Amino acid sequence: MNSESLRRWLRGGLYTLAALQTFVSLWQYFLPRSFYDNFPTVQLDPPYNEHLVTDVGGLGLALAATLWIAAWLIDTKVALAALTGYLIYAATHFAYHVTNFDNFSLGEALGVGTGLGIEVVLALLLLYTARLLYRAERVTV
């Protein structure tokens, strides 16, 4: 795969992560009760706390903004920074949920674990792609 193909793949992946993060974060921030009541499996967690949900939504929006900027600029250093931050968030979120399935049915546990696992894998693949591009740019300079 050449550098231009990698760059297109990276940009598409960054836009995908940014869109998903934006959707969930806007919902969390502006409609926290709706998010708590309607997002699958959230109601299985400890009691509702509006402050916590809106804070998480605000942080998610900040993370989404870095992903949007990385996709728009397609600068490998910015992409590496945005994806590193996203991977830390996604991996810790995944780790929490896969160790806290006490009230979940098997289907709910599989759904949450799979969905969050896909985010981690996609972030790792994009981070790898950004690293390949970064190395290629350094060689051609």
Side-chain angles (χ1 to χ4, degrees), residues 7-100:
R7 191 174 303 284
R8 280 194 303 274
W9 196 87
L10 178 62
R11 176 174 274 147
L14 285 165
Y15 277 134
T16 299
L17 288 179
L20 291 170
Q21 188 64 49
T22 299
F23 172 75
V24 171
S25 298
L26 286 170
W27 189 5
Q28 288 170 321
Y29 190 77
F30 290 106
L31 300 166
R33 189 70 213 199
S34 170
F35 179 83
Y36 181 82
D37 290 338
N38 298 303
F39 194 87
T41 71
V42 169
Q43 71 275 13
L44 300 174
D45 289 331
Y48 173 71
N49 180 322
E50 181 178 1
H51 178 215
L52 179 61
V53 175
T54 57
D55 280 357
V56 169
L59 290 169
L61 288 171
L63 186 53
T66 64
L67 292 166
W68 285 111
I69 291 167
W72 179 58
L73 293 176
I74 206 61
D75 178 283
T76 55
K77 290 178 186 174
V78 176
L80 287 167
L83 287 165
T84 299
Y86 183 83
L87 179 59
I88 291 167
Y89 164 74
T92 57
H93 191 200
F94 173 78
Y96 172 82
H97 280 287
V98 299
T99 59
N100 289 280

